[in-house]
Amino acid sequence: MTHLPFIIAGQPVDSKDTFEVVNPATGQPFATAPVATPEDLDRAVAAARTAFKSWSFLPVQTRREAILAIGNKIAANGELLANLITREQGKPLGGFARLGSRFEVDVAAKWCEATAQMEMPPDVLMDGEQGRIELHRKPIGVVGSITPWNWPLMIAIWHIIPAIYAGNAVVIKPSSLTPLATLKLVELANEVLPAGVLNIVSGEGGLGRAMASHAGIDKIVFTGSTQTGKSIMAGAAETLKRLTLELGGNDAGIVLPGANISEIAPQIFGGAFINNGQTCAALKRLYVHDSQYDDMCGALASIAKSVTVGDGLDDGTDFGPVQNASQLAFVANLAQQAQRDGGQFLTGGTSPLQDNGYFFAPTIVAGLCDGHALVDEEPFGPILPVIRYSDEQDVLARSNENPNGLGGSVWSADIEHAKVIAAQMECGTVWINGHGGLNPFAPFGGVKQSGFGVEFGVEGLKECTLPQTIHLPAST
């Protein structure tokens, strides 16, 4: 079996206890990872605190060169990392629209390059006869990163790279369902970073909660479910940790009358089913005007019927399995509820490979409305409800009524009118005639119960720092 140790203070560390990593395409374990003890976590935090003292004072250019070197390491080991992702997460190597594990690795490498281009000079708030005031940004200290199982490498990069570029040291804990690519990433990064700047611990159960309450960790950045985010926030309260929480989403898409259905249907399908629907900012509720409802349902069903579901290591696979048995059961239960509620299943609704792995066919459901579980709850899987509407203000109210507020989209031939609708959507990001595309220079984060704080861009970089105001006397 494959086995990777964790890294503390630049050195591989193993544990007498391990846990199994399951390939979701087979339902069988194929690897093991070490279980970190409380003492291991303490050692990782201590190593980070020691490294921070020197790392934080290095010139920005030195840290920039390290970030670029990490990106090069990722690119040079791309196929190894992609295979680890496919085996532990399930997404195909290539996949639908080429958005599989090779895409994830490529984005991770390029994100390093993009982040290294960012600048964060002091802001001059006043400069005159009364003096000069400058706002500087200082690193926080030790950042604890807790990552999910859906994009294990890419989200790890989103957490790690801005934090260390800003001068912090990091302790990361990947999901116990998908630890391998992140363990390998940290091993590679430690070939170019000073010891202790980036440490990793893995395990099951309460390791994340222990990080949230650990007195030696100054900030937690977490991507995952709203419920777990609330638990982390509670654990962080005692030490008043800084937090960036990117939590669940139930993104609505609104198709306005007159939209070109044949043109936008493939983009909508891609935005809904990217990573098998297992993406926080995937399109999860699609509202379509009466005048085009049947056409849109037909177009989406036609695409869903054309794709291939199977093992992500096989050539020609568009979509792999749902990542884990628990998530598969949740999706299947929502589908069963939708059937009982009168939902019309245009495609899918079942597993295409009943006896092998955690598969679920891409599913399009018509005939439901708000108030049904499949519409109101985030499925986080390959199932999309298409909801009929007739009044623009009514559909805006319905789309905003959900407690989540991560992303949303408007689809229209009239861009100016789409902007008017977008401005009224209660979410952190709105796309027009697209859904889910992210850019390293554009801040991304949620509102309401989708979390707070932003990642990406200079605004995201600032979240890895503390402001310090310096008052200077007037120059003579």
Side-chain angles (χ1 to χ4, degrees):
M1 277 193 176
T2 300
H3 180 82
L4 292 171
F6 37 72
I7 306 291
I8 296 176
Q11 298 298 315
V13 177
D14 234 319
S15 170
K16 66 178 181 179
D17 294 324
T18 63
F19 60 93
E20 293 181 329
V21 182
V22 171
N23 181 341
T26 65
Q28 299 300 316
F30 75 97
T32 59
V35 175
T37 64
E39 292 74 24
D40 290 325
L41 176 59
D42 287 343
R43 287 166 56 205
V45 173
R49 297 204 73 81
T50 298
F52 170 73
K53 295 174 184 176
S54 56
W55 178 253
S56 60
F57 285 102
L58 289 177
V60 171
Q61 182 59 29
T62 302
R63 298 200 297 264
R64 175 179 290 116
E65 290 169 359
I67 299 303
L68 292 171
I70 293 171
N72 291 336
K73 287 282 184 182
I74 294 170
N77 292 272
E79 200 62 13
L80 169 61
L81 290 166
N83 272 269
L84 285 174
I85 293 168
T86 293
R87 293 176 73 195
E88 67 179 346
Q89 200 280 333
K91 70 187 68 174
L93 290 169
F96 184 83
R98 315 307 295 172
L99 295 175
S101 58
R102 289 186 179 120
F103 164 80
E104 181 169 353
V105 172
D106 184 55
V107 169
K110 290 178 178 176
W111 218 274
C112 294
E113 181 180 353
T115 302
Q117 296 177 35
M118 297 176 192
E119 303 280 355
M120 199 167 43
D123 294 324
V124 178
L125 306 181
M126 187 182 80
D127 191 11
E129 294 180 358
Q130 295 181 335
R132 179 181 173 94
I133 303 176
E134 297 176 352
L135 180 63
H136 292 251
R137 291 279 170 177
K138 301 176 64 175
I140 297 171
V142 175
V143 173
S145 160
I146 304 173
T147 57
W149 49 257
N150 56 334
W151 295 92
L153 183 74
M154 191 162 68
I155 293 177
I157 287 296
W158 292 349
H159 288 194
I160 291 168
I161 295 304
I164 62 177
Y165 182 45
N168 302 286
V170 172
V171 177
I172 184 170
K173 186 206 83 70
S175 167
S176 60
L177 296 170
T178 56
L180 303 177
T182 314
L183 285 163
K184 189 64 182 178
L185 166 68
V186 174
E187 176 189 313
L188 294 170
N190 269 272
E191 294 176 5
V192 300
L193 289 171
V197 171
L198 177 57
N199 310 271
I200 184 167
V201 289
S202 57
E204 299 176 298
L207 187 57
R209 289 192 295 275
M211 290 175 67
S213 60
H214 200 291
I217 295 177
D218 303 294
K219 174 179 176 169
I220 292 286
V221 54
F222 170 74
T223 301
S225 72
T226 298
Q227 192 58 44
T228 304
K230 291 178 179 179
S231 174
I232 288 171
M233 190 172 178
E238 186 173 345
T239 54
L240 291 179
K241 282 181 177 55
R242 273 61 183 168
L243 294 170
T244 297
L245 302 178
E246 195 265 270
L247 307 178
N250 196 3
D251 291 14
I254 300 174
V255 180
L256 298 178
N260 187 326
I261 299 300
S262 62
E263 183 178 295
I264 66 174
Q267 299 174 64
I268 287 175
F269 184 88
F273 289 92
I274 183 173
N275 199 32
N276 229 4
Q278 300 168 122
T279 298
C280 293
L283 197 165
K284 300 189 176 83
R285 299 175 285 151
L286 182 65
Y287 295 89
V288 185
H289 190 263
D290 276 332
S291 61
Q292 296 178 297
Y293 183 81
D294 292 338
D295 289 343
M296 177 60 78
C297 287
L300 293 174
S302 177
I303 299 170
K305 291 173 182 176
S306 72
V307 301
T308 300
V309 178
D311 191 323
L313 294 174
D314 295 341
D315 291 338
T317 297
D318 292 304
F319 295 102
V322 174
Q323 198 284 321
N324 58 81
S326 176
Q327 192 62 33
L328 175 65
F330 182 76
V331 173
N333 181 64
L334 283 179
Q336 291 166 7
Q337 248 184 294
Q339 287 178 322
R340 291 194 296 269
D341 291 344
Q344 303 157 27
F345 280 66
L346 308 181
T347 63
T350 60
S351 170
L353 301 171
Q354 298 286 352
D355 301 320
N356 187 26
Y358 308 139
F359 294 95
F360 197 86
T363 300
I364 306 294
V365 183
L368 296 180
C369 60
D370 301 270
H372 292 112
L374 181 58
V375 179
D376 292 352
E377 298 184 36
E378 178 185 28
F380 217 70
I383 185 168
L384 176 69
V386 186
I387 307 140
R388 187 187 298 270
Y389 80 92
S390 57
D391 179 78
E392 191 175 275
Q393 289 305 308
D394 175 64
V395 76
L396 266 170
R398 290 157 64 188
S399 71
N400 287 335
E401 194 171 346
N402 197 274
N404 295 293
L406 190 58
S409 56
V410 183
W411 304 79
S412 176
D414 184 342
I415 300 300
E416 290 305 312
H417 185 58
K419 287 169 64 177
V420 172
I421 300 299
Q424 299 176 71
M425 297 185 77
E426 296 173 358
C427 49
T429 299
V430 183
W431 294 271
I432 293 175
N433 292 344
H435 196 109
L438 299 176
N439 185 291
F441 300 103
F444 175 74
V447 300
K448 299 193 285 190
Q449 293 198 36
S450 289
F452 53 81
V454 297
E455 298 175 271
F456 316 158
V458 174
E459 292 301 314
L461 192 59
K462 288 179 179 178
E463 296 237 355
C464 300
T465 67
L466 298 173
Q468 183 181 57
T469 305
I470 298 180
H471 292 255
L472 300 164
S475 57
T476 57

